[in-house]
């Protein structure tokens, strides 16, 4: 499988998980199951009144990260941040609380680290949400040097979520993606990367009923990994993820990114791919990211 197939798969996996899960966002599981059954069609609607194929903050922020990397590969944080601010000023229908507070803080102080550190301090470190994990996949899709990839992954996370739990989750996730781009083995790659991180090592032994699909980054990555490990095609992985409810668009996006890179763009259901309203933008970004930089 060529690299572009995997890069396209990663971006479209995120977007498809996001768009599918967006229908269920803010919906209690019992109500959602009664209304949608086992949700697997990209129909929009839901509490956010989405159009079929609409994406939410997960994909929008992923695009912002990708565009920032491409604008200034050596030092992309300002370019990424500029796009976060532009998006924030559009009054988006869905934005995580920590992202919202960090972007608002940056607008007032002009320094991402100062804004993010302030949230860390007043929350007593309880700011390890999944808002950076959901957007981090462009980094390994672009940087060919592992050390540089890890450095930028942490930097983009610290912009809004200054917290080791958040940045470590991003680094582990992106390292798995990085290895899949080179044809890494599905399960052995995960085992190798998460070794020493007990909260993720245990995913291989967890039961579905023990998953907690919350917005806490550790819970989210556990859910995404579990869905990826325990299913063998893109559709089943993403459907399993969004039907956990809790934070369905984000868990769907993160699981979708893994599945898309590992199985490739062509393995994503065409009925989903064709509905994504930002598909042309994703295709253009994939072609630029795939060129890569050392």
């Amino acid at each position: 499988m060529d690299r572009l197939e995997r890069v396209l798969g990663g971006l479209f996996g995120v977007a498809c998980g996001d768009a599918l899960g967006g229908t269920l966002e803010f919906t209690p599981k019992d109500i959602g199951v009664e209304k949608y059954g086992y949700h697997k069609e990209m129909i929009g609607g839901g509490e956010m009144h989405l159009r079929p194929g609409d994406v939410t903050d997960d994909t929008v922020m992923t695009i912002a990260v990708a565009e920032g990397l491409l604008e200034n590969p050596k030092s992309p944080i300002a370019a990424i941040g500029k796009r976060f601010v532009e998006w924030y000023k559009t009054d988006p229908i869905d934005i995580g609380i920590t992202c919202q507070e960090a972007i608002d803080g940056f607008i007032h102080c002009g320094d991402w680290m100062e804004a993010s550190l302030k949230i860390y301090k007043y929350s007593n470190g309880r700011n390890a949400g999944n808002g950076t994990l959901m957007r981090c996949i462009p980094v390994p899709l672009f940087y060919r040097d592992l050390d540089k990839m890890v450095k930028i992954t942490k930097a983009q996370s610290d912009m809004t979520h200054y917290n080791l739990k958040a940045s470590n989750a991003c680094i582990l996730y992106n390292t798995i993606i990085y290895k899949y781009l080179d044809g890494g083995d599905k399960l052995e790659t995960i085992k190798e990367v998460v070794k020493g991180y007990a909260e993720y090592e245990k995913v291989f032994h967890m039961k579905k009923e023990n998953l907690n699909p919350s917005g806490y980054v550790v819970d989210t990555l556990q859910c995404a990994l579990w869905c990826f490990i325990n299913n063998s095609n893109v559709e089943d992985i993403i459907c399993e993820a969004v039907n956990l409810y809790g934070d369905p668009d984000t868990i769907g996006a993160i699981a979708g990114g893994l599945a898309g890179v590992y199985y490739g763009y062509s393995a994503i259901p065409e009925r989903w791919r064709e509905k994504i309203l930002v598909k042309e933008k994703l295709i253009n970004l994939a072609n630029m990211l795939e060129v890569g930089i050392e």
Side-chain angles (χ1 to χ4, degrees):
M1 191 186 305
D2 68 25
R3 189 178 180 92
L4 181 59
E5 171 79 2
R6 294 192 190 275
V7 173
L8 276 166
L11 293 182
F12 271 86
V14 167
C16 288
D18 180 17
L20 190 72
T23 302
L24 308 180
E25 185 78 348
F26 309 122
T27 301
K29 187 169 184 177
D30 56 342
I31 295 173
V33 171
E34 184 178 339
K35 184 172 182 179
Y36 302 108
Y38 188 77
H39 182 57
K40 58 192 298 184
E41 300 304 330
M42 208 172 281
I43 57 174
E47 294 297 313
M48 291 186 283
H49 307 290
L50 302 170
R51 296 166 295 174
D54 256 335
V55 295
T56 75
D57 56 337
D58 306 78
T59 305
V60 173
M61 296 190 88
T62 297
I63 289 170
V65 170
E67 291 178 341
L69 302 180
L70 291 163
E71 180 181 319
N72 189 351
K74 290 186 178 179
S75 185
I77 298 306
I80 294 169
K82 177 178 69 176
R83 287 163 173 82
F84 286 176
V85 171
E86 288 170 353
W87 167 67
Y88 175 73
K89 288 181 176 179
T90 68
D91 192 22
I93 56 170
D94 189 21
I95 180 171
I97 293 171
T98 304
C99 285
Q100 181 176 349
E101 291 178 344
I103 296 169
D104 188 62
F106 171 81
I107 291 170
H108 286 92
C109 75
D111 185 285
W112 285 107
M113 188 54 69
E114 181 182 330
S116 188
L117 189 56
K118 184 178 179 181
I119 297 167
Y120 175 79
K121 287 177 178 176
Y122 79 63
S123 69
N124 292 315
R126 298 167 72 96
N127 64 324
N130 56 23
T132 64
L133 182 61
M134 72 186 192
R135 70 185 190 222
C136 67
I137 198 171
V139 185
L141 302 184
F142 185 55
Y143 291 97
R144 303 293 182 97
D145 180 80
L146 179 61
D147 291 340
K148 180 73 170 177
M149 187 278 289
V150 169
K151 180 182 177 182
I152 300 298
T153 294
K154 184 179 188 305
Q156 73 80 34
S157 186
D158 287 346
M159 288 173 72
T160 55
H161 293 57
Y162 183 80
N163 191 298
L164 270 178
K165 289 289 187 184
S167 57
N168 281 343
C170 291
I171 290 167
L172 295 174
Y173 180 80
N174 274 356
T175 302
I176 294 167
I177 296 291
Y178 182 90
K179 292 179 179 292
Y180 285 158
L181 287 163
D182 286 332
D185 180 81
K186 181 176 176 176
L187 299 184
E188 290 306 314
T189 295
I190 298 173
K191 289 176 182 176
E192 174 191 331
V193 171
V194 305
K195 188 175 182 180
Y197 292 84
E199 64 265 53
Y200 301 121
E201 287 181 315
K202 72 178 184 180
V203 170
F204 284 94
H205 312 292
M206 289 176 76
K207 295 180 178 179
K208 185 176 179 178
E209 54 265 32
N210 299 134
L211 298 173
N212 181 19
S214 79
Y216 174 44
V217 72
V218 174
D219 289 343
T220 296
L221 186 52
Q222 284 178 343
C223 288
L225 288 171
W226 190 93
C227 293
F228 179 65
I229 289 165
N230 289 283
N231 291 279
S232 57
N233 64 72
V234 177
E235 180 169 350
D236 288 348
I237 290 163
I238 291 177
C239 286
E240 186 94 80
V242 304
N243 282 282
L244 292 173
Y245 284 80
D247 195 359
D249 58 341
T250 299
I251 297 170
I254 293 162
L258 281 169
V261 170
Y262 183 77
Y263 291 104
Y265 172 76
S266 302
I268 300 171
E270 185 178 8
R271 71 182 194 279
W272 290 353
R273 296 190 323 240
E274 290 305 308
K275 277 190 175 176
I276 297 297
L277 298 182
V278 293
K279 66 181 179 181
E280 295 304 325
K281 183 183 284 284
L282 295 179
I283 290 168
N284 290 336
L285 284 172
N287 278 290
M288 290 186 282
L289 290 170
E290 185 271 334
V291 174
I293 188 169
E294 292 298 334

